[in-house]
């Protein structure tokens, strides 16, 4: 999987594949924008790998990108795993920034798009 070349992950394919699938869906969803900007198929493919690395990093899977946050108050304490990156949207990691650049800024544009709700009945 190309993601290993991007982030050096040693995770198994079965762990990485859902992130690759999601990245491909996101890249496909930006096709109107990428087509208008003349993004090549090679750049689309590269962007999917970089975006998958971004999604993987943001998921806190793997020791390198996860931290445990501990909070205590009187007799109570809570531990939770949080991602090792901060920021907002696709631009919050260098992986996402690279994917966005490869796609001519289309990912950052789609991050800004308002959410829609569809009803079927």
């Amino acid at each position: 999987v190309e993601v290993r070349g991007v982030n050096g992950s040693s995770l198994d394919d079965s762990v990485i594949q859902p992130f690759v699938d999601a990245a491909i869906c996101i890249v496909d969803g930006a096709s109107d924008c990428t087509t208008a900007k003349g993004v090549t198929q090679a750049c689309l493919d590269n962007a999917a790998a970089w975006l998958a690395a971004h999604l993987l990093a943001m998921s806190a899977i793997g020791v390198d990108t996860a931290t445990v946050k501990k909070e205590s108050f009187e007799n109570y304490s809570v531990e939770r795993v949080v991602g090792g990156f901060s920021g907002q949207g696709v631009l919050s990691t260098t992986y996402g920034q690279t994917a966005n650049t490869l796609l001519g800024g289309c990912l950052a544009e789609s991050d800004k798009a308002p959410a829609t709700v569809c009803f079927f009945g």
Side-chain angles (χ1 to χ4, degrees):
V1 176
E2 293 84 8
V3 176
R4 284 194 197 89
V6 171
N7 69 1
S9 174
S10 60
L11 294 171
D12 188 67
D13 283 351
S14 64
V15 175
I16 296 173
Q17 193 60 49
F19 297 97
V20 172
D21 295 342
I24 290 169
C25 286
I26 293 168
V27 169
D28 287 348
S31 65
D32 288 346
C33 179
T34 57
T35 300
K37 293 190 178 198
V39 177
T40 65
Q41 185 61 47
C43 286
L44 293 172
D45 295 340
N46 282 327
W50 283 90
L51 185 57
H54 164 77
L55 296 172
L56 182 61
M58 295 304 292
S59 73
I61 290 178
V63 177
D64 296 335
T65 62
T67 56
V68 175
K69 182 170 179 143
K70 298 178 184 179
E71 298 176 1
S72 298
F73 180 75
E74 294 182 3
N75 293 331
Y76 302 97
S77 65
V78 175
E79 290 185 17
R80 56 192 161 105
V81 176
V82 294
F85 298 97
S86 62
Q88 194 168 2
V90 73
L91 301 178
S92 62
T93 67
T94 55
Y95 306 123
Q97 293 166 9
T98 302
N100 185 55
T101 300
L102 288 166
L103 296 179
C106 292
L107 293 177
E109 287 178 27
S110 65
D111 267 353
K112 295 175 188 174
T116 59
V117 177
C118 298
F119 294 97
F120 299 95

